[in-house]
Amino acid sequence: MSDFGDISDPDELSTISPKRKNPKGKYISSRQKIMVINLYKDILMKSPGIKYEDIVNNLSEALGLGRETISKTIAEYRRTNTVTSPNKKRIKFSLFDKTDDLDRNGLRQKVHSFWLRRELPTIDKILVAVNEDPSLPNFKRTTLYSTIKKLDFVFEKRKRCSVLTEREDLIVWRRNYLYNIRKYRQEGRQIYYLDETWLNAGDCVDRVWKDNTVLSKHDAFNKGLTTGSTNPTGKGKRLIILHIGSDKGFLPGGLLCFESKKNSADYHDEMNGDNFKEWFEAILPRLEPNAIIVMDNAPYHSVKLEKYPSTRWNKAQLSEWLQSKGVVLDRPLLKHELMAKVREIPRNKSYVIDKIAEEAGHTVLRLPPYHCEFNPIELAWAMVKGYAKRENTTFKMDDVRQLLHTAIERVTSENWQNFIKHVIGEEEKIWKVDDIMDEVIDQMEHCVLTITGETDSDYE
């Protein structure tokens, strides 16, 4: 019997349901969904032979909900054995926003795999390769094209064919990074790797064993069985995690963990320059002398020592800044003229974090963009989150936090050494790819269009 009384006939639903219809487009609450499921079960128990369409129609009329809403709610329950609360603050994300760093790195590696085979990558070739890989999301051609562009690949016209290459500055950045990291290893300097990640209270393994002979909770009770593992009702609250490690393991006392406050797909939104700086200053005394600190280029890692002028500055501020740089202003200038002089002065790319590290006797080495495979802590995070997901059965934040600490303790120095060994292999592979790409492109002819015309005319 359901919580809503003894219903012997589906037609009697109209006597217990509100006549007021749910406004079109309005979210239905989890309480309403539970009511749908309870009445759905009750009808099945009382009238096993009733058609599904009749059930949906009766529930729709009785509860004032649309038939599609009823069907989706029942389908959700059949699929997950539970119902979820509506997310009233829906944020639409593009496929690029939904892909994480590992997926983006996977796309980049797909492109480079063509160079490694001395093939010219094109969008059509990449599309086939990506969609055949079960570890990567499926793309449509236009979506893949825009995603590849956002990863800073560019098309170059060469000898009547389009060749997909990377931006020149990114190639140079990557080359310099690989050269420097090799040099530091040869010098025997201790290298630390830091990064942030996240863990949701509702994170768990995607696939579990299920007994399909158990039809419902009532059926499980009668058979002395269970309905299987409990599913989370949603992603839940999120932990933002920051840590640092080396070939000796995670640095003791280096963990920063706090609860997210934003409904954002990007965990980087939770961190800011002040929080990171405070943590960074606290862990520096724990590092070995003359260490190398590898990090990515997140905005809070890259707060500049000096703020560069922009058009939002007024004329007085621009003039003062220019004079501090030794520029002589011998006459009143328009704002456009002041900005032109500002652009003549090279930008100072010194960062607050780099300066703090330098004063403590350490060196910051920044990863090239979109190359998380060069950071072994990504593999450590995969191990940590894998353990937490496997052991998460309560989906409570306090329990997940404890699982996080346990998972971090389980990552040994041997694990870290294997992670670093894997990363070195990736570095060598990319170094080889760059050499091949440079050789192939150098042997191709540039497509140059020369426009000629008369340069002088005779006038009376």
Side-chain angles (χ1 to χ4, degrees):
M1 181 178 294
S2 75
D3 297 335
F4 302 96
D6 185 9
I7 304 174
S8 57
D9 189 338
D11 293 335
E12 296 179 16
L13 285 172
S14 59
T15 63
I16 64 168
S17 61
K19 293 297 182 182
R20 185 173 55 186
K21 290 187 177 181
N22 194 65
K24 187 175 182 180
K26 181 182 178 182
Y27 295 102
I28 67 169
S29 66
S30 55
R31 183 176 178 275
Q32 288 174 291
K33 289 185 176 182
I34 292 172
M35 184 182 296
V36 170
I37 298 304
N38 284 341
L39 292 175
Y40 165 70
K41 290 180 180 179
D42 207 89
I43 292 174
L44 286 180
M45 291 180 63
K46 300 298 183 182
S47 306
I50 189 172
K51 293 182 179 180
Y52 177 77
E53 184 179 356
D54 293 335
I55 296 177
V56 172
N57 289 335
N58 287 334
L59 289 176
S60 176
E61 182 180 351
L63 298 177
L65 300 174
R67 286 188 292 272
E68 185 177 355
T69 300
I70 298 291
S71 296
K72 286 183 177 179
T73 302
I74 295 174
E76 179 187 4
Y77 178 77
R78 285 176 169 178
R79 185 176 64 255
T80 65
N81 203 33
T82 187
V83 291
T84 58
S85 299
N87 179 13
K88 297 181 180 179
K89 295 182 179 179
R90 291 189 177 179
I91 303 174
K92 291 186 177 180
F93 301 107
S94 66
L95 186 56
F96 182 81
D97 296 324
K98 294 177 182 177
T99 56
D100 57 19
D101 290 340
L102 293 177
D103 286 336
R104 295 173 189 177
N105 176 56
L107 289 174
R108 185 172 296 277
Q109 289 189 342
K110 284 295 180 186
V111 177
H112 281 273
S113 68
F114 287 94
W115 289 113
L116 201 57
R117 299 192 299 269
R118 294 181 179 271
E119 295 182 33
L120 297 181
T122 64
I123 286 294
D124 292 326
K125 290 181 181 179
I126 298 168
L127 181 66
V128 173
V130 169
N131 287 344
E132 287 180 349
D133 190 335
S135 66
L136 293 175
N138 273 10
F139 287 86
K140 293 182 179 179
R141 191 179 190 280
T142 52
T143 308
L144 178 65
Y145 177 81
S146 62
T147 302
I148 290 293
K149 288 190 68 176
K150 288 180 180 178
L151 291 176
D152 285 326
F153 283 93
V154 294
F155 278 107
E156 290 188 354
K157 285 282 189 179
R158 295 176 182 273
K159 201 174 180 179
R160 291 182 294 177
C161 65
S162 294
V163 179
L164 189 62
T165 64
E166 291 176 283
R167 265 182 20 210
E168 181 180 291
D169 60 319
L170 296 185
I171 296 174
V172 173
W173 189 335
R174 178 172 64 230
R175 201 71 170 181
N176 288 336
Y177 172 84
L178 294 175
Y179 173 81
N180 287 326
I181 197 75
R182 284 180 174 181
K183 182 184 70 172
Y184 294 141
R185 289 194 184 109
Q186 291 171 357
E187 293 173 355
R189 297 175 69 175
Q190 183 64 57
I191 302 176
Y192 293 91
Y193 304 86
L194 67 84
D195 192 30
E196 302 82 13
T197 190
W198 80 97
L199 190 63
N200 293 319
D203 281 346
C204 58
V205 292
D206 296 329
R207 301 174 69 87
V208 293
W209 287 103
K210 180 182 177 182
D211 186 352
N212 283 332
T213 64
V214 177
L215 304 178
S216 65
K217 291 183 179 179
H218 182 74
D219 184 38
F221 177 79
N222 289 336
K223 294 178 179 178
L225 302 174
T226 70
T227 56
S229 58
T230 304
N231 294 320
T233 57
K235 291 183 178 180
K237 296 181 179 180
R238 172 182 289 180
L239 286 177
I240 307 300
I241 309 158
L242 170 61
H243 216 325
I244 184 171
S246 67
D247 58 354
K248 298 180 180 179
F250 277 113
L251 182 70
L255 175 64
L256 173 64
C257 177
F258 60 91
E259 191 173 314
S260 170
K261 302 297 182 184
K262 297 181 181 180
N263 181 23
S264 171
D266 189 354
Y267 63 92
H268 291 100
D269 293 343
E270 297 289 337
M271 191 72 71
N272 60 51
D274 292 335
N275 289 341
F276 181 77
K277 178 185 173 185
E278 182 179 351
W279 172 85
F280 190 74
E281 290 175 328
I283 61 101
L284 285 179
R286 302 174 182 270
L287 306 183
E288 293 189 14
N290 197 28
I292 304 298
I293 307 169
V294 176
M295 67 178 73
D296 62 22
N297 299 279
Y300 43 85
H301 296 167
S302 308
V303 178
K304 293 182 179 178
L305 278 171
E306 181 182 18
K307 193 172 182 180
Y308 197 77
S310 69
T311 54
R312 291 190 296 269
W313 289 28
N314 59 39
K315 291 175 61 176
Q317 291 172 317
L318 292 172
S319 299
E320 182 180 352
W321 186 86
L322 286 168
Q323 289 171 349
S324 71
K325 298 297 181 183
V327 178
V328 177
L329 304 177
D330 54 0
R331 62 180 177 83
L333 298 176
L334 299 175
K335 187 172 183 178
H336 289 293
E337 293 176 303
L338 292 172
M339 283 302 302
K341 288 187 175 294
V342 166
R343 296 187 187 98
E344 293 174 0
I345 299 176
R347 285 178 178 264
N348 184 357
K349 293 188 177 181
S350 299
Y351 300 109
V352 172
I353 292 301
D354 297 45
K355 183 67 174 177
I356 294 173
E358 182 182 351
E359 291 174 350
H362 306 299
T363 302
V364 171
L365 181 61
R366 295 178 178 274
L367 288 160
Y370 313 115
H371 281 290
C372 62
E373 78 273 22
F374 292 165
N375 196 343
I377 200 173
E378 295 287 354
L379 299 173
W381 286 142
M383 184 175 175
V384 167
K385 294 168 79 170
Y387 173 84
K389 288 181 179 182
R390 289 192 301 273
E391 301 299 322
N392 187 13
T393 57
T394 65
F395 315 118
K396 295 179 180 179
M397 183 55 71
D398 290 341
D399 295 336
V400 171
R401 193 186 296 268
Q402 183 58 49
L403 285 174
L404 170 67
H405 286 276
T406 303
I408 288 175
E409 292 172 358
R410 289 169 57 89
V411 183
T412 65
S413 58
E414 289 78 15
N415 294 137
W416 266 91
Q417 289 162 17
N418 288 332
F419 299 154
I420 294 172
K421 182 179 179 181
H422 173 82
V423 164
I424 292 174
E426 292 297 311
E427 292 171 356
E428 292 174 350
K429 183 170 70 175
I430 292 296
W431 185 274
K432 181 180 178 182
V433 167
D434 284 339
D435 285 340
I436 294 173
M437 183 168 59
D438 185 65
E439 178 185 340
V440 171
I441 292 179
D442 190 55
Q443 293 173 356
M444 300 176 67
E445 295 180 13
H446 284 269
C447 180
V448 180
L449 180 63
T450 304
I451 302 176
T452 61
E454 297 296 328
T455 58
D456 56 336
S457 301
D458 294 329
Y459 288 91
E460 294 294 340

